[in-house]
Amino acid sequence: MVNVNVNNGTLSQAEINAYIAHGKELYPEKTIEAMDINIDGEYVDVDYHFSDVPFQRIRRITGYLVGTLDRFNNAKRCEVEDRVKHSLSH
């Protein structure tokens, strides 16, 4: 469900649904959480608010790209523990 705020006027539910559908077409890879629709005479400004995208850190460890170590066997976990971590100093 998208939370919609209409300012400076009123819109029918069909019009609101059309703006939601248009937003989903414009931003298919994002999830619209809320919309602010500002009516200014014959003009309408739409401000979309999107849900946060979960972010997972990916690292290169012992030759593999991984996010977590949960699928490593004991030998790979030992390699991770024994490796030398290099720091960048300026």
Side-chain angles (χ1 to χ4, degrees), residues 7-8 38-45:
N7 302 310
N8 301 323
N38 299 304
I39 301 171
D40 184 14
E42 293 183 21
Y43 297 97
V44 175
D45 294 322

Side-chain angles (χ1 to χ4, degrees), residues 3-12 15-16 19 34-49:
N3 183 19
V4 179
N5 300 309
V6 179
N7 302 310
N8 301 323
T10 59
L11 294 174
S12 69
E15 290 172 305
I16 291 171
Y19 283 114
M35 292 171 44
D36 292 322
I37 302 174
N38 299 304
I39 301 171
D40 184 14
E42 293 183 21
Y43 297 97
V44 175
D45 294 322
V46 181
D47 186 19
Y48 297 100
H49 304 278

Side-chain angles (χ1 to χ4, degrees), residues 3-87:
N3 183 19
V4 179
N5 300 309
V6 179
N7 302 310
N8 301 323
T10 59
L11 294 174
S12 69
Q13 190 59 50
E15 290 172 305
I16 291 171
N17 292 342
Y19 283 114
I20 293 171
H22 182 67
K24 289 180 179 181
E25 287 177 22
L26 286 175
Y27 306 102
E29 72 285 352
K30 297 183 179 184
T31 301
I32 300 171
E33 192 171 81
M35 292 171 44
D36 292 322
I37 302 174
N38 299 304
I39 301 171
D40 184 14
E42 293 183 21
Y43 297 97
V44 175
D45 294 322
V46 181
D47 186 19
Y48 297 100
H49 304 278
F50 303 105
S51 297
D52 291 334
V53 176
F55 177 79
Q56 182 181 21
R57 180 177 165 192
I58 302 294
R59 302 176 287 171
R60 184 178 183 91
I61 300 175
T62 66
Y64 296 93
L65 294 175
V66 297
T68 63
L69 305 180
D70 60 335
R71 296 188 67 198
F72 275 18
N73 63 23
N74 289 339
K76 277 294 176 196
R77 288 176 197 257
C78 286
E79 282 185 50
V80 171
E81 291 174 15
D82 293 342
R83 73 184 189 143
V84 175
K85 295 180 180 145
H86 302 280
S87 63

